[in-house]
Amino acid sequence: LKATLVTLGIAGCIGLSLVAWGGWWLLAVGALIAVGVFAYSTGPYPLSTHFLGEVAVMCFFGIIPVNFTFWLMTASWSLPVFLSSIAVGLMGANVLIINNYRDVEDDRAVAKRTLAVRLGRPAMRYLYATDVAAAAVLTVFATGTGVAFWWLAPGVYLVTSAIIALQLGRRQGAKLTPLLGATALSMFIYSLLCLCVNVGS
């Protein structure tokens, strides 16, 4: 709890500096995000223990930060930005999917009702693959095919994530932990490739 409060405090102080660019209404956005942080794991209805963790990740690691960051930098917004934010949210949700996939037995033992506990491991493997495919398709729609190397980010992401998805059904317990890092790394590589392709265009 202390670490969460300290981290949230630092993030809040940094976020306050953005008010100069975006206006005072950003305080409401910051407050909403802070509430989301605590609602994820605490409060009367913790989202992480009621199979809503993936939804929270999509919102607070994808849709909200991508759209508001773009607006702050450009004072504009577009449908491709929104599609990209959903793609990023799906990728972030996949990190949580693997985490909960690994911890199914432990979570079930303490009555933690994650999505993986409710649906089971086979369904989570399909969900992981569906998120990967949807993120790649959304990226194509967001980028368009008129940009040079438009296929690079979604293509590389599809290949790396397909390898990870195949490993999900072949590993158990602690052997799943490296797939967490691999999923986050594939997301990072995707982000770099998107940046390079769009800057290069």
Side-chain angles (χ1 to χ4, degrees):
L1 179 60
K2 290 180 180 179
T4 299
L5 290 172
V6 170
T7 303
L8 191 60
I10 294 172
C13 290
I14 295 173
L16 285 174
S17 66
L18 299 176
V19 172
W21 282 274
W24 290 103
W25 65 273
L26 282 176
L27 291 176
V29 177
L32 176 63
I33 292 172
V35 169
V37 169
F38 286 102
Y40 179 80
S41 57
T42 61
Y45 197 84
L47 300 178
S48 63
T49 60
H50 291 88
F51 61 89
L52 292 172
E54 286 79 4
V55 175
V57 168
M58 275 200 63
C59 290
F60 292 104
F61 284 85
I63 295 174
I64 292 176
V66 171
N67 283 286
F68 281 101
T69 298
F70 188 88
W71 189 89
L72 280 169
M73 295 174 66
T74 66
S76 64
W77 180 85
S78 64
L79 180 59
V81 174
F82 181 66
L83 295 178
S84 297
S85 72
I86 297 176
V88 172
L90 290 170
M91 295 177 194
N94 270 355
V95 176
L96 183 60
I97 283 174
I98 291 188
N99 181 75
N100 291 340
Y101 181 95
R102 178 196 61 189
D103 297 340
V104 165
E105 285 81 11
D106 292 338
D107 289 340
R108 186 180 289 120
V110 296
K112 189 175 180 181
R113 305 293 291 171
T114 65
L115 195 61
V117 169
R118 292 180 68 91
L119 299 182
R121 284 200 171 101
M124 296 309 287
R125 290 198 295 270
Y126 285 116
L127 182 58
Y128 184 95
T130 300
D131 284 354
V132 168
V137 170
L138 286 169
T139 301
V140 173
F141 278 114
T143 306
T145 57
V147 178
F149 300 105
W150 61 269
W151 49 268
L152 191 57
V156 171
Y157 179 72
L158 271 176
V159 171
T160 56
S161 296
I163 295 172
I164 296 170
L166 289 173
Q167 291 298 312
L168 270 178
R170 300 173 181 172
R171 300 190 185 191
Q172 294 181 354
K175 292 183 179 179
L176 288 165
T177 300
L179 298 185
L180 269 171
T183 299
L185 181 61
S186 67
M187 184 178 176
F188 177 67
I189 293 173
Y190 161 90
S191 300
L192 286 180
L193 291 175
C194 280
L195 178 64
C196 292
V197 167
N198 284 284
V199 169
S201 65

